Amino acid sequence: MFSVRGCGRWAVASLAKQHLRLARFCGDSAAPGTPHFDVVVIGGGHAGTEAAAAAARCGSRTLLLTHRVDTIGQMSCNPSFGGIGKGHLMREVDALDGLCSRVCDQSGVHYKVLNRRKGPAVWGLRAQIDRKLYKQNMQKEILNTPLLTVKEGAVEDLILTEPEPEHPGKCRVSGVVLGMYWASDLVVTIHNGRSSRLLGLLSQGDQCPFLWPQGPILVPQAMGALTLPPCTPQSLSLIGKPFPLSPSALWALPCIQTEVPPEDQLPCYLTHTNRRVDEIVLENLHLNSHVKETTRGPRYCPSIESKVLRFPNRLHQVWLEPEGMDSDLIYPQGLSMTLPAELQEKMLTCIRGLEKAKMIQPGYGVQYDYLDPRQIAPSLETHLVQRLFFAGQINGTTGYEEAAAQVRGYRNVTGVIAGINASLRVSRKPPFVISRTEGYIGVLIDDLTTLGTSEPYRMFTSRVEFRLSLRPDNADSRLTFRGYKEAGCVSQQRYERASWMKSSLEEGISVLKSIEFSSSKWKNLIPEASISTTRSLPVRALDVLKYEEVDMELLAKAVPDPLKKYTKCRELAARLKIEATYESAFFQQLQEIKEVQRDEALQLPRDLDYLSIRDVSLSQEVREKLHFSRPQTIGAASRIPGVTPAAIINLLRFVKTTQQRQAATNELPKTGQYLRNTDKLQEREL
């Protein structure tokens, strides 16, 4: 049931017989005795937990609604976080004091750095997680977060009121129909698509008809788990060595202790498919649900069927990853499929090392819809409904990480940003927006809100223009200070740690620049380094540190007096090495970043009606694209497909002319006041 308030009276209607939609209200205050929260988060998945925790850290009274509390922190498919591109998102979520990275430190069983042969700017930090431990630790974090209340329940409808005149949008959300909960802001993290009654209402409502991309997406999932005989792993390839540093240094603060020391990490193994696997797939394509024309499979999370079709006559990797410290279950990464269970088991026994494996859970397909992400702003607030924020797979992302930063990389990412901005909206503060020049989070959200997506979005380092500046190691220097000062989502402990690291780096780089010797002396001090002795000019210690063979330990042995103290902190020593490696390239990229930031500084009016303005020459096609995407800056407008360079120039002229007119208008009262003061002074003198 839900209550309808108007003119001091209450009316009650039943949802059982007919679906009455509550869409118009007057007033902002909650009814007497009705629970009131600043922020309500719908959905307790990876995005929802990050959004709720972020809003609570910012000081908002937050309610997290989920079907079942005991499923919070449950990992739906592969028990791992991070990877190439995703590891950057994890570090950035952690820099904003997010949960998932910290919980990974407490729950990991295997840590590895991918892309290690390339430079540290594109290293992919990855953690294999104990399913049970992660779930326990995440629930412990969520249920003990101050200002955060967790309730079980299903949301039937949204309470919509008249819009705020100073903000764009057709209406404003002020609560949810459950029993009855009132809220200033709402974060939706549900990702079930049209199967969700709430999202069905969003797509069909008169006041907020959100657009859905055409056609559902079907994401194949790998077999839930396998059990292997004890002797089997000996016939497979061991995946490198566990990450040699403390797992806590992988994501979060080095001072945080983890439960799994490096020597106790569990090994992962590698095997491959073969010609027999290809034959089983090709013979049974008619039984495969996601290869049919009615649904589309994802490009970046392909099933084994898709791999066989796209890359015939090739061996495909299958990673065997343990699911927990006290579990004998193995997750077969790379065997996503939707074939019948008996064929999956037949295929499994054809793979080397898995001949005697037992399948516990067959692979399956998850079909979901998502809203067109061009309908949300960079703050993740929707254009149509004020104070309604979207995060997670509803925005077209896939993977834990994208959601968390929205946060498991993607779901977690959008979650933390949506939670922060929902809280800032309550206190009427400017939104917390990360640009493409500041982080992978900014690239992720800008790609979604500007370009949209026709398939589940995946983050890659190749999507990022300024990869040398946006590295995993410097996420704190890029985001922690902003998070502390602008959003209030960062704890005092983390802020002080980031401040110490920043000052130590600046001091260390200054000392390294000040130490200069001849090239021949450096060669004598560090014979391991391939330093040319033909150089006539003195060589700085910072330049010597750029050599691949040299690290801070070696440099401090050569010049112990000023440099030895910088080797005491392993993280500081590693970051000084990385800073030296990218010194010259970073300086060049900094100039490019400043050019982009100049474009981003040119803000477009949020209430600009592109369809009706006559002071700017734009084609009807460009007007429609701008009206739909509603870019907030000239830079964002230039990235919309179909918006021509000529249109950007005309729009730029319009913005500058408008700013000049506004500046002149603001000067008039000051000029008038100055003239009045002058007249009074002359009267006194007379």
Side-chain angles (χ1 to χ4, degrees), residues 61 112 118 147 175 247 255 265 296 318 356 372 385 403 479 482 521 546 553 605 617 626 685:
R61 290 167 297 176
K112 187 172 178 61
K118 298 184 179 179
L147 299 178
C255 59
Q265 293 180 25
R296 294 175 293 134
V318 179
K356 298 181 180 180
D372 193 322
V385 182
L479 298 177
R482 282 196 62 200
K521 184 173 181 179
K546 295 177 183 179
E553 288 282 348
S617 176
L626 292 171
E685 291 175 349

Side-chain angles (χ1 to χ4, degrees), residues 410-478:
Y410 311 131
R411 289 200 289 269
N412 295 19
V413 172
T414 52
V416 76
I417 297 299
I420 289 171
N421 282 313
S423 180
L424 293 176
R425 189 77 159 79
V426 173
S427 52
R428 299 185 179 276
K429 293 180 181 178
F432 184 79
V433 176
I434 299 173
S435 74
R436 298 184 73 91
T437 63
E438 293 177 301
Y440 275 56
I441 292 176
V443 174
L444 164 73
I445 294 177
D446 183 71
D447 282 349
L448 289 171
T449 58
T450 303
L451 306 177
T453 184
S454 59
E455 59 187 349
Y457 182 92
R458 283 277 173 163
M459 174 53 69
F460 299 104
T461 55
S462 58
R463 295 186 187 270
V464 182
E465 301 91 332
F466 307 111
R467 294 187 289 276
L468 303 185
S469 305
L470 310 181
R471 307 186 304 270
D473 65 281
N474 65 2
D476 58 346
S477 60
R478 291 184 278 115

Side-chain angles (χ1 to χ4, degrees), residues 17-304:
K17 296 182 180 179
Q18 55 181 340
H19 297 304
L20 299 178
R21 299 190 58 249
L22 185 54
R24 295 178 182 84
F25 274 80
C26 57
D28 295 327
S29 60
T34 303
H36 182 276
F37 297 92
D38 297 320
V39 176
V40 172
V41 179
I42 303 176
H46 297 284
T49 51
E50 289 288 350
R57 288 199 306 275
C58 292
S60 296
R61 290 167 297 176
T62 305
L63 172 66
L64 173 60
L65 293 172
T66 182
H67 287 292
R68 290 172 54 190
V69 174
D70 61 1
T71 61
I72 289 176
Q74 184 167 301
M75 306 183 79
S76 55
C77 50
N78 60 312
S80 65
F81 278 79
I84 298 174
K86 293 184 175 187
H88 293 70
L89 292 174
M90 293 292 291
R91 273 287 176 90
E92 291 179 4
V93 169
D94 183 63
L96 295 172
D97 229 353
L99 300 182
C100 61
S101 301
R102 187 160 65 245
V103 177
C104 275
D105 284 346
Q106 302 164 356
S107 316
V109 297
H110 180 92
Y111 297 86
K112 187 172 178 61
V113 179
L114 308 179
N115 240 13
R116 197 73 185 251
R117 293 180 181 179
K118 298 184 179 179
V122 293
W123 284 353
L125 311 179
R126 189 176 186 276
Q128 190 69 25
I129 305 302
D130 185 312
R131 284 185 189 272
K132 186 171 69 175
L133 270 180
Y134 185 87
K135 187 176 178 180
Q136 290 174 354
N137 290 324
M138 179 58 77
Q139 290 182 14
K140 183 179 178 181
E141 285 274 357
I142 287 294
L143 298 177
N144 290 282
T145 299
L147 299 178
L148 176 57
T149 302
V150 182
K151 294 285 186 183
E152 291 184 344
V155 173
E156 290 292 335
D157 212 338
L158 306 183
I159 300 172
L160 305 178
T161 65
E162 294 299 320
E164 298 169 334
E166 66 272 19
H167 294 283
K170 293 186 176 182
C171 53
R172 175 171 65 91
V173 68
S174 60
V176 296
V177 175
L178 180 63
M180 178 73 73
Y181 287 103
W182 291 77
S184 299
D185 286 3
L186 186 67
V187 178
V188 176
T189 62
I190 295 174
H191 56 271
N192 292 21
R194 291 194 181 109
S195 61
S196 165
R197 168 172 155 68
L198 174 61
L199 298 186
L201 293 171
L202 289 177
S203 64
Q204 299 166 10
D206 297 329
Q207 285 195 312
C208 52
F210 287 96
L211 297 180
W212 300 77
Q214 293 299 315
I217 294 291
L218 187 140
V219 181
Q221 305 293 323
M223 299 175 190
L226 310 173
T227 56
L228 300 176
C231 61
T232 301
Q234 298 175 9
S235 63
L236 304 177
S237 304
L238 180 65
I239 310 299
K241 295 181 179 179
F243 191 57
L245 300 181
S246 168
S248 62
L250 189 64
W251 308 118
L253 294 177
C255 59
I256 297 176
Q257 296 299 315
T258 64
E259 298 181 12
V260 188
E263 61 272 14
D264 292 338
Q265 293 180 25
L266 300 180
C268 296
Y269 295 89
L270 172 65
T271 185
H272 294 83
T273 62
N274 50 46
R275 199 172 288 177
R276 181 59 186 141
V277 171
D278 292 7
E279 291 173 359
I280 294 173
V281 169
L282 296 174
E283 290 169 1
N284 297 280
L285 283 179
H286 61 288
L287 300 175
N288 189 292
S289 58
H290 79 282
V291 175
K292 297 176 183 177
E293 295 181 0
T294 52
T295 57
R296 294 175 293 134
R299 182 196 306 265
Y300 301 121
C301 188
S303 65
I304 189 64

Side-chain angles (χ1 to χ4, degrees), residues 20 59 159 167 219 256 311 336 339 440 452 503 506 620 623:
L20 299 178
I159 300 172
H167 294 283
V219 181
I256 297 176
F311 311 103
S336 301
L339 288 171
Y440 275 56
S503 61
E506 291 172 349
Q620 187 61 30
R623 288 175 184 270

